[in-house]
Amino acid sequence: MIQKIQINDTRFPLGKGAGSDAIHRDPIYSYAVTQLIDDSGITGTGFAFTLGEGNDMVCRAAQFYAEQLKGRDIEELMSDFGAVFNRLSNEQQFRWLGPHKGVIHLALASVTNACYDLWAKKRGVPLWKLLTDLSPEAIINTLDLSYLEDELSRDQALQLFKDNYPGKETRKGIISAGYPGYDTSIGWFNYSDEKVRENSRRAVAEGFTAMKLKVGSPDPERDIRRSHIVREEAGNDIKVMLDANQQWSLPQALKICKALQSMRPYWIEEPTHPDDILAHKTLADAIAPTKLALGEHVPNRIIFKNYLQTGSAGFIQVDAVRVGGVSEFITVSLLCRKYNIPVVPHVGDMGQLHQHLVLFNHISMGHEALFLEHIPHLQKHFVHPAKIESGVYKTPMEPGSSCDLKPLK
Amino acid sequence: MIQKIQINDTRFPLGKGAGSDAIHRDPIYSYAVTQLIDDSGITGTGFAFTLGEGNDMVCRAAQFYAEQLKGRDIEELMSDFGAVFNRLSNEQQFRWLGPHKGVIHLALASVTNACYDLWAKKRGVPLWKLLTDLSPEAIINTLDLSYLEDELSRDQALQLFKDNYPGKETRKGIISAGYPGYDTSIGWFNYSDEKVRENSRRAVAEGFTAMKLKVGSPDPERDIRRSHIVREEAGNDIKVMLDANQQWSLPQALKICKALQSMRPYWIEEPTHPDDILAHKTLADAIAPTKLALGEHVPNRIIFKNYLQTGSAGFIQVDAVRVGGVSEFITVSLLCRKYNIPVVPHVGDMGQLHQHLVLFNHISMGHEALFLEHIPHLQKHFVHPAKIESGVYKTPMEPGSSCDLKPLK
C-alpha cells in the first residue's frame, strides 16, 4: 500500500556549453521527482524533466496527483491504470490548466513513472521484463485510449500485440546484444567547430554508429559548415542527424533544409514550432526523401495522432518524461506501430527509463531496434547509471526503471 | 515607470450548479491577477482565468514574467511589445514547460493584459478607444507574428488593417448602439430540464437574441431533449448554440451532432479534444452546413493557424485570458479576418476585457459584430462590471480594460 509521498525538486547545473541548442542557451537539467513509498519499504521513483526555472511548479502539481494515490495497492492500481490515468488527467479543475499539456501533464508523467517503477520493484524485476512478460490485455489495461477511438480502439490495440507475437522470442536476442545508442553530445550549439570535429572523431572511435549535431543558427552558413565537418569525420556509413530545436519559420526551414540535404542527414529534427502540424506536413512533402523527426515537445497522444495522420514525421521522438509517463508513451508507440513509424525517444531521462521502454517496444510490439539517444551529462547522479559500451546500451538488470537518484550532498 | 508588482490568487466559489458543464462539474472561477504599479500611482490590472486548483501556479509563473518588466516605462514597452512578448514567451528555461501553452502561457496572459490596462489608463482612455485610435503600424508593433510567416507576414497584417480602413467611421456606430450579447447561463449542465426552460424564457424576455445550452451527456437522449426545450422557448428566430465541452470521441460526435441538427443549432461547440485538429476537420465536413465553434482551450496562434488552414472552425472562440493576452488575441483575430471566420471570444474574463476587444475587432479590422458571450456570475466582484441592457453590452467608458476587481473582504 502506498503510504507516503515524497516530491523532490532536483536541479543539476551543467558544464560550460553542454546541453545548449538554438533555443536553450543555458539550461539547468532538472527533475521533478515523485517518490511513492510503499508500506513494505519499497520506494517507487519517477520524474519529469525540465530545464530548471519552474521545476518547482511541476513538483507542486505532482504532489496534487500523488496525494490521490495514497492508500492504494500498487498491483491493484496497475491492474486498471488506464482508468486511473484518465481520471487524474481529467481532474475537473486542474484540467483547465492544460488539458493534457504543460506543467500539469509533466507532473502526471512524474507520478505515472513512479507507479511503474514501484510496480516493477515490487515484482523484483527490471521494468522491461515486467512489460515484456505482461499479457496484451494487462498492458492495454494500463493505457488510456480516449480520444483515439477513430484510430486505435481497444480491440485494434490488442490485435497489434497479437500480430507481433510471432518473432517475440527471436527479438529477445536484443537483451544480450544490447540496444544501440547514438551520441547527442558531440555537437551542442555553443561548441566551437573544432570541438565538434574532435567530439565526432571520439564518438566514431567509441563505436557509435549515429550522432547528432545542433543546427538552427541565425547564420545558416554556420549550420551547413558544421554539418559537413561532422559528415567528414563520420564518413559515409555513420548516420548523422541534425536538430534545429524549432528555430526556423516554415519559409526558412524550406530553404535551409534543402541546403542541408547535400550532407545526407539521416533526419532533420524539430525544424519549426512543435504545434505546427501543417507546417511539418508541407516541409516533409517538400524535402522527401529526407525525413523529419519530432516529438520532444509534443505533450500528448492526440497531437501525435494528428502528426501520424498527416504523415509528416519519419521518426517519432515521444519522451516518457514529457507525455503523461510510461502509460502514454506506450499508447503513442502503439499508434506509431500502426503507422509503421519508428519510435526514437527524446531522452529527457538521459536514457535511464527509455532503455527499458525501447526494449519493450522492440520485443513485444515489433518496433525496429533502431537506436536510442545517449546523453551522458547526469550519469554520476543515478544509482544505476545506464551503461554504454561500444556505442550500445547494456540491458539493465536491477529491479525497477533505473530512475533512482543518489541523495544530494 | 513600473515600480511595483503585485500578484493575487483570487478565487470565487459559485452558486449550486452554476458554471457546470460535461467535464467541469464543480468549478471555482478564479483569477491569477497581475498588478503593475506605476510610479505615477496608476495600477495596471490583468488576469488569466482558471477553474480553481492550480491558480497558485499561474500566479507563481506570472510573478516570474512580471519581475522582468520592473523599471520599464509603459509607453516605451508598448511601442515594441511584440518583441517583449516574443522574448518573454521564449525564455529559454521556462519555455520547456510549454512552449506557449499551459500554466506558463496563462501567466503570460495575465502579465500582458496588465500591460495593456496600464497603457490605456496612462492615456486616460478605455482600451477599445486606445486600440481603435492606434495606427496599423503601432498595433502591429505590439504583436509577435513569429511562426506565422507562412500565413501572416508583417506586410500582410498591415494590409489587412489598410483594406478595412474604409467603413471604419461607419462601424463606430457600434459604440453608441452597443455590442450584442448572448446568454450562456441558461443551460448549465447540472441544471434541471425545468430550470433550463425557465431560464430560456427569461433570456428571451430580457432581449437576448442568442443563447447556449451545455450538452455532452453520457445519455445523448438527454442532450437532444434539452436542446429541443430551448428551441421551443426560443422560437425560430433566436440563435441557439450547443456546447459539448470536449466530451465526445470523434465517432460519438459524428453520430450525436447529426441527431442534434434537427433543432438547428447555430453552432456546436468543442465537440471533442481541443488538440485534435483533424478530428474537427472530419466532423466539420460531415455535418456541414452546421458549423463548429472552438478555441476556448486553444492556447496559441500556431494551433489557431492550423485550425484555420484546415477550415474546420466556423467560429473562433479565442480567449484573451487563455492565449498570451490581448496581443496574441489580436494576432489570432487578424488570422481569422484573413480567413473570414468570425471571432466570438470565450469569456473567461466574464466579458470585462473582451467587450473592448470585440469593439476593436469590428471597428478597426472589419470583423462582423456578431455577439459576445455573457456570463453574469462574477459581476459584483468588478469595480466596473459590464453592463448588459436588453441583451446588449453598453460600451464601457472608464479608462483601462475594465478588469479591476474590488478588494476582497
Side-chain angles (χ1 to χ4, degrees):
Chain A
M1 191 189 75
I2 296 168
Q3 204 166 38
K4 239 185 84 185
I5 309 292
Q6 177 68 43
I7 312 287
N8 295 319
D9 180 346
T10 312
R11 309 189 188 200
F12 306 102
L14 300 175
K16 197 169 151 34
S20 57
D21 62 47
I23 282 193
H24 312 98
R25 301 302 173 100
D26 187 22
I28 298 174
Y29 282 8
S30 300
Y31 293 132
V33 184
T34 298
Q35 294 191 303
L36 304 174
I37 303 151
D38 195 86
D39 58 357
S40 65
I42 296 176
T43 296
T45 303
F47 54 74
F49 177 63
T50 79
L51 296 187
E53 187 70 45
N55 198 51
D56 52 309
M57 296 191 291
V58 182
C59 289
R60 145 74 178 93
Q63 187 88 40
F64 173 81
Y65 288 128
E67 290 291 345
Q68 300 179 47
L69 304 181
K70 260 193 190 163
R72 298 290 297 270
D73 174 75
I74 191 65
E75 284 288 350
E76 180 255 321
L77 201 63
M78 301 312 292
S79 71
D80 192 23
F81 191 76
V84 175
F85 185 95
N86 183 276
R87 188 174 55 75
L88 291 178
S89 68
N90 290 307
E91 195 284 327
Q92 58 117 18
Q93 292 186 7
F94 232 41
R95 191 186 190 279
W96 189 268
L97 306 172
H100 314 135
K101 56 178 70 72
V103 166
I104 57 169
H105 212 55
L106 287 162
L108 186 58
S110 176
V111 175
T112 295
N113 293 339
C115 288
Y116 279 85
D117 185 64
L118 180 57
W119 194 20
K121 283 174 177 166
K122 284 283 268 195
R123 291 195 179 186
V125 295
L127 181 60
W128 64 262
K129 178 150 175 60
L130 180 146
L131 292 175
T132 52
D133 286 350
L134 286 178
S135 72
E137 288 78 7
I139 298 166
I140 307 283
N141 287 346
T142 68
L143 310 181
D144 176 8
L145 302 177
S146 65
Y147 294 119
L148 303 181
E149 296 81 358
D150 50 329
E151 287 286 345
L152 190 69
S153 68
R154 188 184 161 90
D155 284 348
Q156 289 170 313
L158 274 173
Q159 198 56 47
L160 272 171
F161 280 112
K162 287 176 186 163
D163 290 348
N164 287 289
Y165 191 80
K168 192 174 166 184
E169 286 310 309
T170 312
R171 290 193 299 270
K172 282 185 180 168
I174 192 88
I175 296 165
S176 50
Y179 201 94
Y182 78 83
D183 195 337
T184 287
S185 53
I186 61 150
W188 293 116
F189 193 80
N190 291 350
Y191 285 175
S192 69
D193 287 12
E194 244 344 281
K195 186 156 185 180
V196 168
R197 186 181 293 279
E198 200 178 290
N199 286 344
S200 304
R201 202 173 297 167
R202 180 189 45 73
V204 174
E206 283 174 7
F208 284 101
T209 56
M211 54 193 72
K212 192 158 82 184
L213 175 74
K214 295 292 183 179
V215 294
S217 168
D219 169 19
E221 292 307 319
R222 179 185 192 250
D223 292 343
I224 295 166
R225 182 181 73 237
R226 288 158 68 91
S227 72
H228 282 281
I229 290 176
V230 181
R231 175 55 75 206
E232 276 165 39
E233 295 300 328
N236 283 330
D237 295 339
I238 286 178
K239 298 181 174 95
V240 180
M241 289 83 84
L242 305 175
D243 184 359
N245 290 88
Q246 317 168 28
Q247 197 61 349
W248 297 319
S249 69
L250 175 57
Q252 284 174 323
L254 284 164
K255 217 158 122 180
I256 302 170
C257 287
K258 280 180 187 162
L260 289 167
Q261 282 179 312
S262 65
M263 62 74 67
R264 295 176 296 105
Y266 186 63
W267 72 50
I268 298 175
E269 183 173 337
E270 282 207 307
T272 189
H273 198 284
D275 295 342
D276 203 337
I277 294 163
L278 296 188
H280 283 84
K281 169 65 177 159
T282 301
L283 183 61
D285 289 348
I287 65 167
T290 303
K291 286 178 176 170
L292 299 180
L294 63 92
E296 168 178 344
H297 278 80
V298 174
N300 63 49
R301 65 196 180 277
I302 297 129
I303 304 177
F304 277 114
K305 180 180 74 170
N306 276 243
Y307 271 115
L308 290 165
Q309 287 172 322
T310 53
S312 43
F315 302 89
I316 287 288
Q317 301 179 295
V318 53
D319 186 339
V321 296
R322 156 77 71 187
V323 297
V326 172
S327 170
E328 197 165 26
F329 177 95
I330 295 174
T331 302
V332 172
S333 297
L334 276 169
L335 276 174
C336 290
R337 191 69 190 88
K338 175 180 167 177
Y339 279 90
N340 267 317
I341 297 292
V343 174
V344 189
H346 174 261
V347 297
D349 64 319
M350 308 298 124
Q352 295 291 132
L353 173 59
H354 284 107
Q355 59 184 334
H356 295 264
L357 301 181
V358 292
L359 288 172
F360 167 68
N361 275 1
H362 177 61
I363 295 170
S364 294
M365 229 181 275
H367 268 291
E368 186 188 354
L370 204 51
F371 43 48
L372 178 62
E373 183 171 24
H374 168 57
I375 308 179
H377 303 305
L378 303 186
Q379 285 211 322
K380 63 181 176 201
H381 300 293
F382 285 99
V383 177
H384 299 286
K387 283 190 209 74
I388 314 281
E389 286 171 21
S390 307
V392 166
Y393 274 87
K394 308 304 289 180
T395 300
M397 290 299 174
E398 69 278 1
S401 65
S402 312
C403 287
D404 284 306
L405 288 150
K406 292 180 188 163
L408 285 178
K409 305 248 163 60
Chain B
M1 191 191 74
I2 296 168
Q3 205 164 40
K4 238 186 84 186
I5 309 291
Q6 177 68 44
I7 311 287
N8 294 318
D9 181 345
T10 312
R11 309 188 189 201
F12 306 102
L14 302 174
K16 198 170 150 31
S20 57
D21 62 49
I23 282 193
H24 313 97
R25 302 303 174 99
D26 188 20
I28 297 174
Y29 281 9
S30 301
Y31 293 131
V33 184
T34 298
Q35 294 190 303
L36 304 174
I37 302 151
D38 195 87
D39 58 358
S40 65
I42 296 177
T43 297
T45 303
F47 53 75
F49 176 63
T50 79
L51 296 188
E53 187 70 47
N55 198 52
D56 51 309
M57 296 190 292
V58 182
C59 289
R60 145 73 178 96
Q63 186 88 41
F64 173 81
Y65 287 128
E67 289 292 345
Q68 300 180 47
L69 304 182
K70 260 192 190 164
R72 298 290 298 270
D73 173 74
I74 191 66
E75 285 287 349
E76 181 254 321
L77 201 64
M78 301 312 291
S79 71
D80 193 23
F81 192 76
V84 175
F85 184 96
N86 183 277
R87 187 175 55 75
L88 291 178
S89 69
N90 289 308
E91 195 284 328
Q92 58 117 17
Q93 293 186 6
F94 232 42
R95 190 185 191 281
W96 189 267
L97 306 172
H100 315 135
K101 56 178 70 72
V103 166
I104 56 168
H105 212 55
L106 287 162
L108 186 58
S110 176
V111 174
T112 295
N113 293 339
C115 289
Y116 280 85
D117 185 63
L118 180 57
W119 195 20
K121 284 174 178 165
K122 285 281 269 194
R123 291 197 180 186
V125 294
L127 181 61
W128 64 262
K129 178 150 175 59
L130 180 146
L131 293 174
T132 52
D133 286 350
L134 286 178
S135 73
E137 288 78 8
I139 298 166
I140 307 284
N141 287 347
T142 68
L143 310 181
D144 176 8
L145 302 178
S146 64
Y147 294 120
L148 302 182
E149 296 80 358
D150 50 329
E151 287 286 346
L152 190 69
S153 69
R154 187 183 162 90
D155 285 347
Q156 289 170 315
L158 274 173
Q159 198 56 47
L160 272 171
F161 279 112
K162 287 177 186 161
D163 290 347
N164 287 289
Y165 191 80
K168 193 174 165 184
E169 286 309 309
T170 313
R171 290 192 300 270
K172 283 185 179 169
I174 193 87
I175 296 165
S176 49
Y179 201 93
Y182 79 83
D183 195 339
T184 287
S185 53
I186 61 151
W188 294 116
F189 193 80
N190 291 351
Y191 285 175
S192 69
D193 287 13
E194 246 342 282
K195 187 156 184 179
V196 168
R197 185 181 293 279
E198 201 177 291
N199 285 345
S200 304
R201 202 172 297 168
R202 180 188 45 71
V204 174
E206 283 176 6
F208 284 100
T209 56
M211 54 192 72
K212 191 157 82 184
L213 175 74
K214 295 291 184 180
V215 294
S217 168
D219 169 19
E221 292 306 320
R222 179 184 191 251
D223 292 343
I224 294 166
R225 183 182 72 237
R226 288 157 68 91
S227 72
H228 282 280
I229 290 175
V230 181
R231 176 53 75 206
E232 276 165 39
E233 295 300 327
N236 283 329
D237 296 339
I238 287 177
K239 298 180 173 95
V240 180
M241 290 82 84
L242 305 176
D243 184 359
N245 289 89
Q246 317 167 28
Q247 197 61 352
W248 298 319
S249 69
L250 176 57
Q252 285 174 323
L254 284 164
K255 218 159 121 180
I256 302 171
C257 287
K258 281 181 186 163
L260 288 168
Q261 283 178 311
S262 64
M263 63 74 66
R264 295 177 295 106
Y266 186 64
W267 72 50
I268 299 176
E269 182 172 338
E270 281 207 309
T272 189
H273 199 285
D275 295 341
D276 203 337
I277 294 163
L278 296 188
H280 282 85
K281 168 67 176 156
T282 302
L283 183 60
D285 289 348
I287 65 167
T290 303
K291 287 179 176 169
L292 299 180
L294 62 92
E296 168 178 345
H297 279 80
V298 174
N300 63 49
R301 65 196 179 278
I302 297 130
I303 304 177
F304 277 114
K305 179 181 75 170
N306 275 241
Y307 270 115
L308 290 165
Q309 287 171 321
T310 53
S312 44
F315 302 89
I316 287 288
Q317 301 179 296
V318 51
D319 186 339
V321 296
R322 157 77 71 187
V323 296
V326 171
S327 170
E328 197 166 26
F329 177 95
I330 295 174
T331 303
V332 173
S333 297
L334 276 169
L335 276 173
C336 290
R337 191 70 190 87
K338 175 180 168 178
Y339 279 89
N340 266 316
I341 298 292
V343 173
V344 188
H346 173 261
V347 297
D349 63 320
M350 308 297 124
Q352 296 291 132
L353 173 60
H354 285 106
Q355 58 184 334
H356 296 265
L357 302 180
V358 292
L359 287 173
F360 167 68
N361 275 2
H362 177 60
I363 295 170
S364 294
M365 230 181 275
H367 268 290
E368 185 188 353
L370 203 51
F371 43 49
L372 178 62
E373 183 171 25
H374 168 57
I375 308 179
H377 302 305
L378 303 186
Q379 285 212 322
K380 64 182 175 200
H381 300 294
F382 285 99
V383 176
H384 298 286
K387 283 191 209 72
I388 313 281
E389 286 172 20
S390 308
V392 166
Y393 274 88
K394 308 305 288 180
T395 300
M397 290 299 174
E398 69 278 1
S401 65
S402 312
C403 286
D404 284 305
L405 288 150
K406 292 180 188 164
L408 284 177
K409 304 244 164 60

